[in-house]
Amino acid sequence: MKRAFALATLVVLLLPVALAAKDSRDSNDSGNTLVRFEGGIGVDPVSNVAGDPVILVINGVNTTTFPNVIRNVVRGVNPPGQIWRIEDLSANVKTDGHIRVDGRGLLLAGGNNIGTNGNQRVFATLICEATPPFVEHSTSTTGVPLAANGDFRIDDVLSPAPPATCASPVLLIRNTGGAWFAAGIPKRDNDD
């Protein structure tokens, strides 16, 4: 009985200390977060089309084209030639440039290889400027491979290091050729 009482007293005394240490660690961790991203947007390589449509016959198939196609360039970074989709994305960028990105389901959403990873490798680029000149803070451009289901994890350090503040953050997931496949959705401090 005395042993059980002593154990219960020990738990009651140590639990608040353990929780306080955890809260302190969590607040220190969030204190050096530069920017976070929750959710992702897959690329549509065409931003807009204009002009009268032109119908071409290629290999017996009618194909409609437009004379003026505006590519979906984001802060100076070109899109790929095909549509990509992403199921989910979560990223945390620290003030020291350390970045961790977890992506799910980054797959081709068009063309003959639809639903595959296209044997691609990807890396992350953070851009903090809303207007040119844009500075690209990137992980290693050798990238990480996409799993067959399009999942990936990047755990790296941005180079060059990001600025102390990032007022207009854009996170792009890019292939090793430099095209952007997906973008992160910034999580603001007041987001629930």
Side-chain angles (χ1 to χ4, degrees):
M1 176 82 168
K2 285 184 181 182
R3 186 177 247 177
F5 179 73
L7 183 58
T9 302
L10 186 61
V11 169
V12 168
L13 292 175
L14 292 180
L15 186 60
V17 172
L19 291 175
K22 181 188 179 305
D23 287 345
S24 174
R25 187 176 63 246
D26 289 347
S27 66
N28 287 341
D29 183 49
S30 64
N32 65 13
T33 295
L34 177 64
V35 64
R36 291 176 40 207
F37 298 85
E38 290 296 333
I41 302 166
V43 66
D44 184 338
V46 176
S47 180
N48 198 359
V49 295
D52 294 328
V54 177
I55 298 175
L56 302 175
V57 179
I58 301 173
N59 295 328
V61 177
N62 288 348
T63 303
T64 303
T65 65
F66 290 85
N68 300 310
V69 174
I70 300 169
R71 294 176 51 89
N72 191 358
V73 176
V74 174
R75 299 203 180 168
V77 179
N78 285 315
Q82 191 53 267
I83 300 168
W84 284 76
R85 54 83 72 191
I86 190 162
E87 183 179 326
D88 195 23
L89 183 133
S90 178
N92 191 356
V93 182
K94 301 294 186 182
T95 54
D96 65 359
H98 182 259
I99 183 172
R100 181 172 174 138
V101 183
D102 289 304
R104 301 285 171 258
L106 182 56
L107 299 169
L108 278 161
N112 291 337
N113 290 319
I114 191 169
T116 71
N117 67 9
N119 295 315
Q120 295 292 315
R121 299 178 68 86
V122 294
F123 67 96
T125 296
L126 176 69
I127 301 171
C128 293
E129 299 80 20
T131 58
F134 301 116
V135 178
E136 296 179 4
H137 309 274
S138 297
T139 60
S140 172
T141 57
T142 57
V144 298
L146 291 176
N149 64 356
D151 290 359
F152 64 94
R153 174 171 287 155
I154 298 170
D155 192 352
D156 204 346
V157 176
L158 297 171
S159 180
T165 60
C166 190
S168 182
V170 167
L171 181 70
L172 299 176
I173 304 302
R174 303 167 68 182
N175 73 349
T176 56
W180 75 274
F181 282 10
I185 300 172
K187 180 159 178 58
R188 308 293 180 188
D189 288 339
N190 57 353
D191 290 349
D192 289 325

